[in-house]
Amino acid sequence: MILILLGTQNNSFHRLLEKMDDLVEKNIIDEKILVQAGYTKYESKNMRIFDLIPQEELERYQTQADLIITHGGVGSIISSIQKGKKVIAVPRLHKYQEHVNDHQKQIVESFDSKGYILGIKGVEQLEEAIIKVQNFIPVKYDNKQKRNSKMLKIIEDFIEAI
């Protein structure tokens, strides 16, 4: 099962869901897909989409998922890699009004450079990443990094407030 996390941003990230639908139609993906869409409004016959759900239910889906595809939010990335999951992260981009700035690009690049995730720059790289992730072995996220997550959350909240 593939779980897609779009977080709780009040801006749409429909480009990612459109690309996923495209990959299902091209038979690149044939797995069940669940989407935590937040405020992104999107309809699909290929994916089960829900807005927001209780944290316990979300964590259960994260545990069950074989692959997690997420926006570049620190919370979504950390909660997934703490569970040892393979993660593909795609940053929301300001030029598409998906976020107030492009800080998610740096977040994705940082986690990617450490080997925790496969970070991509845009949805056009998603097909290649889905193929590549099959052989990807993520670096184990340790408790030292977990302590740093509080600081990352503070920084992310500050940046989003700008």
Side-chain angles (χ1 to χ4, degrees), residues 104-115:
Q104 286 195 355
K105 288 166 56 174
Q106 289 81 23
I107 292 168
V108 170
E109 288 170 8
S110 178
F111 281 98
D112 177 75
S113 70
K114 292 175 177 70

Side-chain angles (χ1 to χ4, degrees), residues 32-80:
K32 178 179 176 180
I33 303 170
L34 297 180
V35 180
Q36 175 273 311
Y39 292 96
T40 298
K41 301 303 175 208
Y42 188 83
E43 292 186 24
S44 171
K45 67 181 191 293
N46 300 312
M47 299 178 274
R48 181 174 158 221
I49 300 173
F50 46 89
D51 296 333
L52 299 170
I53 58 172
Q55 186 66 30
E56 304 81 36
E57 190 175 349
L58 182 61
E59 288 178 8
R60 189 175 70 240
Y61 289 141
Q62 283 178 296
T63 300
Q64 294 171 353
D66 299 308
L67 171 62
I68 297 175
I69 299 173
T70 182
H71 71 127
V74 173
S76 296
I77 293 172
I78 289 178
S79 65
S80 299

Side-chain angles (χ1 to χ4, degrees), residues 12 21-22 33 56 60 72 96 120 131 154 162:
S12 180
D21 257 340
D22 180 55
I33 303 170
E56 304 81 36
R60 189 175 70 240
Y96 298 113
I120 59 178
I131 294 166
I154 291 168
I162 296 176

